[in-house]
Amino acid sequence: MRLVIARCSVDYAGRLTAHLPSAPRLILVKADGSVSIHADDRAYKPLNWMSPPCTLKEGADGEAGIWTVINKAGEKLIITMEEILHDSSHELGVDPGLIKDGVEAHLQELLADRIETLGEGYTLIRREYPTAIGPVDILCRDADGGTVAVEIKRRGEIDGVEQLTRYLELLNRDPHLAPVKGVFAAQEIKPQARVLATDRGIGCVVLDYDALRGIEDDKLRLF
């Protein structure tokens, strides 16, 4: 991973155009080829980015201070460097990924096997659906054929909603899947997480572990 802190301006040219005026920013260039530009006030979300596959050319058109990032659709992210404050590269190696505890892993397996409990007509696409930022717990379709991404937690908190939001942003860029809705499923969902999920149009499902195992009534409470 390469980390560059620079005073720069950014222009995006593609399906739409966008401009970021000159300011100090963090630029991340990852091993998968993605490039993202960050400010210091937006948590995980970049100001602008280019997802892989894409190419980075430094000094395009003979301008040493211009970076041009081009994706396979020909869209461009043009970063005009005014002053580089920091530039370093780090080998992170292969990440083992998030390891769920036994209960979460079993909840995922049970819900995938009984996906219709999310609603009549639901069908499973696959468990651990791969994305560039990690696997989605469950990807399925609702009765209308719409795509639904499900994030499963033992205890549902704000960070789980944020995680699902990142997945949804990425999945909705895929024309074969979009539009993709989200469902946040947990044995217990904290009030703050529920409020955030509702604000973002994400459904919340309280999972009953024993019911999914067939010990009690087969019900999920959808709020």
Side-chain angles (χ1 to χ4, degrees), residues 21-216:
S22 176
R25 297 189 175 94
L26 169 65
I27 303 166
L28 295 182
V29 183
K30 294 187 177 180
D32 64 3
S34 63
V35 178
S36 57
I37 297 117
H38 298 259
D40 205 16
D41 64 348
R42 302 215 173 185
Y44 69 90
K45 189 172 183 178
L47 296 165
N48 215 325
W49 66 93
M50 193 71 81
S51 300
C54 57
T55 58
L56 168 62
K57 296 181 180 179
E58 299 183 42
D61 301 322
E63 297 286 346
I66 296 179
W67 288 15
T68 304
V69 188
I70 306 173
N71 67 11
K72 63 180 181 180
E75 298 170 315
K76 294 182 179 180
L77 191 64
I78 302 169
I79 308 169
T80 302
M81 301 289 192
E82 299 172 13
E83 181 184 9
I84 294 179
L85 307 172
H86 175 85
D87 189 347
S88 63
S89 297
H90 308 269
E91 292 292 338
L92 302 185
V94 178
D95 191 274
L98 179 66
I99 300 175
K100 294 181 175 292
D101 66 26
V103 173
E104 286 184 11
H106 198 202
L107 282 170
Q108 181 193 118
E109 180 182 353
L110 289 169
L111 187 56
D113 286 342
R114 306 175 71 180
I115 197 67
E116 71 281 355
T117 53
L118 284 175
E120 186 177 352
Y122 271 67
T123 57
L124 179 69
I125 296 176
R126 67 168 290 176
R127 292 171 54 194
E128 300 287 337
Y129 185 87
T131 76
I133 58 174
V136 177
D137 286 340
I138 289 177
L139 198 69
C140 58
R141 296 196 186 278
D142 61 20
D144 298 322
T147 312
V148 182
V150 185
E151 178 64 25
I152 299 172
K153 299 291 184 187
R154 185 171 57 85
R155 177 178 295 177
E157 300 186 4
I158 284 178
D159 59 349
V161 178
E162 295 283 12
Q163 183 180 356
L164 178 55
T165 300
R166 294 194 292 273
Y167 289 142
L168 290 172
E169 288 180 350
L170 192 62
L171 292 169
N172 273 300
R173 297 179 200 168
D174 186 338
H176 300 292
L177 297 176
V180 184
K181 298 186 295 185
V183 171
F184 187 50
Q187 287 181 284
E188 174 191 1
I189 300 178
K190 296 294 184 180
Q192 299 92 332
R194 187 182 298 278
V195 169
L196 181 61
T198 301
D199 182 68
R200 295 182 176 178
I202 294 172
C204 291
V205 172
V206 176
L207 299 174
D208 187 322
Y209 187 60
D210 287 336
L212 281 173
R213 291 191 296 161
I215 295 177
E216 296 179 359

